[in-house]
Structures are given as C-alpha cells and as structure tokens.
C-alpha cells in the first residue's frame, strides 16, 4: 500500500528552462528530474519495478540463449556445416543483440517522454486552475477513506510541500520520472545480457564437433535456462518452478520448431 503523505521525504526540485511559466511554488519539469514527489523507498510500485528490473537481465539472457540455439538447430537439421553454423550464430548474435537493445532503448525512451508530457500538462493545469486541482486532490483522499476535514488538511500540507508531485502521485501513480540516461542504460544492459546468453550455444558450435553438437546444445540450453531462471526468480522473488517451466517450454519449443523446419523445408 502507498505510504501516508506525512511519512514521505522532502521532494527534490530541479528548476529547468523550457517549461511554461508557473507559480513559484511549483517545480519545473525536465528530462531526468523527479517530478517533485518524495519517492517512498519501499512503496509497492517501486518494489515491483525494482524486482522486474533486477530479473530482466536474466530474461534478456534467456532470449539470447533461445534465439541462437533455435537458429543453430534449424541450420543443423538442414545439413549445414561447421562454418555455416558459426556464421549463422555470429550473425544471429549481432542482429539479435542490436535489435533487443534498440527495442529496449526505444521502449524506455517512449515511457520517459510520456511521463514528461503528463508532468508538464499537470503542472500547467496547476498553474491555471490551482483551486480545481486542489478540489480533485481532496476528493481523491476522501475516496481513500479520509474524512473531509482530514483530507483537506492532508492536501494542504502536500501542496505546500510539493503541489505537482502530490497531483501526479494521486492521478497517475507517478512518483518518479525516468531519468535522461535510463533509455541508453537500459538498451546497453539488454544488449549485453542478450550477447552473454548467446555465448552458450555459440561457444559450443565453435569448439564441439558437429556430430554431437546438436545434442550438446539442447543439454546446455536446458541447463542454462534453468540456472538463469532460478537466479531471476530468486532476485525478483518470483516462483522458481513457474519461471523454469516457462523458460524451458519456450526454449525447447523454439528449438523443436526450428529443427523440424530445417528437416522438412531444406
């Protein structure tokens, strides 16, 4: 549950150019700054996001393992030799890592732009109709179970401390705007994790004889997916059994489909 307003830390305000003029009590918004909200360190939303982010590197690595293993199984069942398999694995690694990293960068960048647009719009509404926004906030806290008198007092204290942050938190559950560097860092993290995952089937293809390569890749993928899934489940406090089952289902299903495609179409 969300912490009570009184328990929150003082907000961090960073005045920046480029935002319409507002009342002096309102912080200005810019990329990479907090919207003035005092972030609850152990708030439910932040705990959920933290867990997902902590486990996401393992999921990205799983993508690399599954993607390259699937490519190799398909090429191997089609009769490809060592050189072609190595080329396919390297090409798949480059294309997959860049694609996954680029997609993550674009996703986080779009999220940041949305958050900034929301924060700027709310700031403008506060500047043009502070009474109306205050009334909305009072209604919000009454809906959360406070009496009208207590809700009015809570809103008074919140808006005295940080009007914009209080409104963003109540209306959108937005406690922190994604930082300016977050999209790039997220893209790099995904690219690195994906590449690390591809090393499992890629190194097997490079060093292991073709005769046992296919079987060894399957075994290595099962072991790798199980380990990364267990680590991700432990870090994110998720169900280890469900995580392993999902990863193995997707991984083995992908390799099986690729293997059958190589057999029947080439």
């Amino acid at each position: 549950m969300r912490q009570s307003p009184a328990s929150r830390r003082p907000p961090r305000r960073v005045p920046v150019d480029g935002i319409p003029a507002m009342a002096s009590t309102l912080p200005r918004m810019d990329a990479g700054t907090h919207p003035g909200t005092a972030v609850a360190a152990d708030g439910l939303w932040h705990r959920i996001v933290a867990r997902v982010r902590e486990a996401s590197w393992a999921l990205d690595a799983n993508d690399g393992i599954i993607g390259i293993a699937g490519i190799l199984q398909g090429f191997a069942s089609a009769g490809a030799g060592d050189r072609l398999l190595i080329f396919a694995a390297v090409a798949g690694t480059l294309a997959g890592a860049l694609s996954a990293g680029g997609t993550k960068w674009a996703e986080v960048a779009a999220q940041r732009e949305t958050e900034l647009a929301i924060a700027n719009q709310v700031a403008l509404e506060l500047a043009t109709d502070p009474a109306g926004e205050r009334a909305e906030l009072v209604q919000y806290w009454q809906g959360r179970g406070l009496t009208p008198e207590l809700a009015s007092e809570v809103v008074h204290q919140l808006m005295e401390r940080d009007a914009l942050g209080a409104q963003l938190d109540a209306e959108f559950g937005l406690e922190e705007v994604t930082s300016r560097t977050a999209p790039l860092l997220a893209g790099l993290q995904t690219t690195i994790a994906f590449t690390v995952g591809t090393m499992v089937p890629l190194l097997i293809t490079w060093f292991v004889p073709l005769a046992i390569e296919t079987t060894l890749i399957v075994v290595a993928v099962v072991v790798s997916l199980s380990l990364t899934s267990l680590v991700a489940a432990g870090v994110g406090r998720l169900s280890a059994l469900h995580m392993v089952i999902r990863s193995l289902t997707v991984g083995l299903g992908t390799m099986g489909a690729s293997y059958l495609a190589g057999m029947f179409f080439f």
Side-chain angles (χ1 to χ4, degrees):
M1 60 183 289
R2 196 189 305 273
Q3 289 187 339
S4 63
S7 66
R8 299 186 176 182
R9 296 190 301 272
R12 174 179 151 195
R13 295 182 173 85
V14 184
V16 198
D17 296 331
I19 304 301
M22 305 170 195
S24 59
T25 57
L26 299 181
R28 295 186 179 183
M29 285 299 306
D30 183 47
T33 66
H34 293 279
T37 296
V39 180
D42 60 342
L44 176 61
W45 174 249
H46 281 274
R47 282 182 290 181
I48 293 174
V49 171
R51 289 181 187 178
V52 171
R53 287 176 178 173
E54 288 169 354
S56 66
W57 68 267
L59 303 180
D60 293 331
N62 283 357
D63 288 342
I65 296 170
I66 294 170
I68 300 306
I71 291 175
L72 290 173
Q73 291 294 326
F75 272 78
S77 66
D82 279 334
R83 290 177 60 87
L84 182 55
L85 286 174
I86 292 173
F87 171 77
V90 172
T93 296
L94 291 174
L98 293 175
S99 175
T103 299
K104 177 60 69 173
W105 167 78
E107 175 188 337
V108 178
Q111 173 186 327
R112 172 174 164 268
E113 290 172 1
T114 300
E115 292 170 352
L116 285 172
I118 290 173
N120 291 336
Q121 178 61 36
V122 171
L124 185 59
E125 291 172 357
L126 279 168
T128 55
D129 185 19
E133 296 299 305
R134 177 187 175 85
E136 288 183 6
L137 206 53
V138 170
Q139 289 180 356
Y140 166 79
W141 285 108
Q142 287 184 244
R144 294 293 300 271
L146 301 186
T147 63
E149 295 77 13
L150 182 56
S152 180
E153 177 61 25
V154 167
V155 170
H156 174 73
Q157 292 188 26
L158 285 174
M159 297 192 75
E160 281 294 316
R161 174 185 292 183
D162 175 19
L164 178 57
Q167 203 71 28
L168 288 174
D169 193 1
E171 286 190 36
F172 303 98
L174 180 58
E175 295 185 336
E176 184 177 9
V177 172
T178 302
S179 69
R180 184 188 299 273
T181 58
L184 178 59
L185 293 177
L188 287 175
Q189 174 185 305
T190 297
T191 298
I192 293 171
F194 185 96
T195 303
V196 170
T198 66
M199 292 297 106
V200 175
L202 179 58
L203 291 176
I204 292 175
T205 303
W206 190 279
F207 292 108
V208 174
L210 184 60
I212 62 172
E213 181 179 305
T214 301
T215 302
L216 189 56
I217 285 178
V218 173
V219 173
V221 165
V222 170
V223 173
S224 300
L225 290 178
S226 298
L227 289 176
T228 54
S229 298
L230 288 172
V231 172
V235 172
R237 300 179 190 176
L238 308 172
S239 169
L241 179 60
H242 292 167
M243 181 74 78
V244 171
I245 290 175
R246 285 193 294 265
S247 297
L248 291 180
T249 299
V250 174
L252 294 176
T254 300
M255 289 190 294
S258 298
Y259 190 85
L260 292 176
M263 287 182 60
F264 287 115
F265 295 105
F266 296 96

